[in-house]
Amino acid sequence: MERLFAQLNELSRRLERPLKDLDDIKSAIDILRKTRDLELDMDDAIDPIEESFGLLQKYELGLTQEEAEKVDSLRYTWQKVLAQAVEVQNLLSRVQPYF
């Protein structure tokens, strides 16, 4: 779970970069491609984590409130990264004629 959060935070950070020149545009295109490639893998990775932590919570096996909240926010964080990717794609479409 921590690895996924680190990966999502890195994607989000790279998607937030402003587009000032061609290198920024190239970087944005690369991160959009990476996000698209991760889409199926991320869903396959999130499901077992949610199921595992769900079982821990169901049987009250030492799951802290912080861990439960983090698991609950995992899919939301992924959806937020996907929304950022769509915003960057739209921005690229608008700035493309200028470059």
Side-chain angles (χ1 to χ4, degrees), residues 8-86:
L8 292 174
N9 288 333
E10 176 65 18
L11 287 172
S12 180
R13 186 184 61 76
R14 290 183 62 194
L15 286 167
E16 289 174 349
R17 289 185 182 165
L19 301 177
K20 298 177 184 173
D21 57 23
L22 286 175
D23 289 335
D24 292 336
I25 290 175
K26 183 179 182 278
S27 176
I29 291 170
D30 289 341
I31 195 64
L32 287 173
R33 184 176 303 122
K34 183 176 181 177
T35 303
R36 214 174 18 252
D37 291 344
L38 284 173
E39 200 161 354
L40 290 175
D41 293 338
M42 196 60 72
D43 286 335
D44 288 343
I46 291 173
D47 287 341
I49 291 171
E50 289 176 336
E51 289 173 14
S52 298
F53 278 88
L55 287 173
L56 288 174
Q57 190 171 21
K58 179 180 178 181
Y59 294 107
E60 300 173 4
L61 297 173
L63 184 64
T64 66
Q65 183 65 28
E66 181 182 317
E67 290 172 326
E69 289 172 1
K70 204 164 190 177
V71 170
D72 288 341
S73 70
L74 186 59
R75 190 169 300 277
Y76 172 76
T77 303
W78 173 237
Q79 294 302 321
K80 200 166 93 174
V81 167
L82 289 176
Q84 276 183 293
V86 169

